[in-house]
Amino acid sequence: QVELLESGGGLVQPGGSLRLSCAASGFTLDNYIVTWNRQAPGKEREFVATVSSAGTETNYTDSVKGRFTISKDAARDTVYLQMNNLKPDDTAVYYCNAYRQYLGRKNDYWGHGTQVTVSS
């Protein structure tokens, strides 16, 4: 069965940290661009961060720059999102997406999400 598995969410106080993990089951993240997105209550899903298939290039939405770090661990076949200095506005369900276009075929997988709540 092909799926993405997110973990690491939880309840944290403002200023705290969490590390989210995104692991693949039934396939490998090699050659996939992996993106973290989030959806807050009553809002549309938005882009948070992305890492290239080689793990060498990253990009972030402005609101998380300097606080979040996305990384790809090829040995563990896992993508992480290290979130520091969390703010209440970061409260959302965080989703992992893996995408590749290879030999004319697109593969696009989503996880079920992990809840992050930032509250005192």
Side-chain angles (χ1 to χ4, degrees):
Q1 185 176 359
V2 174
E3 61 181 338
L4 284 176
L5 304 171
E6 302 111 328
S7 61
L11 172 63
V12 64
Q13 292 186 343
S17 298
L18 285 174
R19 188 178 77 161
L20 305 184
S21 300
C22 173
S25 176
F27 71 107
T28 175
L29 290 175
D30 279 354
N31 300 315
Y32 280 80
I33 297 168
V34 178
T35 300
W36 283 98
N37 301 269
R38 65 188 179 187
Q39 187 166 17
K43 295 186 178 181
E44 293 186 354
R45 192 173 297 189
E46 65 172 357
F47 164 80
V48 176
T50 191
V51 60
S52 64
S53 56
T56 55
E57 297 179 34
T58 59
N59 194 25
Y60 302 88
T61 191
D62 286 345
S63 64
V64 308
K65 284 181 181 176
R67 301 188 297 123
F68 291 10
T69 303
I70 189 170
S71 61
K72 200 172 195 182
D73 186 333
R76 291 180 170 80
D77 202 29
T78 300
V79 169
Y80 300 101
L81 184 68
Q82 178 66 44
M83 306 186 296
N84 298 328
N85 191 20
L86 282 160
K87 304 176 180 180
D89 283 350
D90 295 317
T91 295
V93 178
Y94 283 70
Y95 297 92
C96 180
N97 169 256
Y99 174 84
R100 76 169 183 178
Q101 190 163 356
Y102 182 68
L103 298 178
R105 179 178 176 179
K106 295 180 183 179
N107 297 103
D108 191 2
Y109 303 114
W110 287 87
H112 295 292
T114 185
Q115 176 71 48
V116 171
T117 302
V118 185
S119 175
S120 55

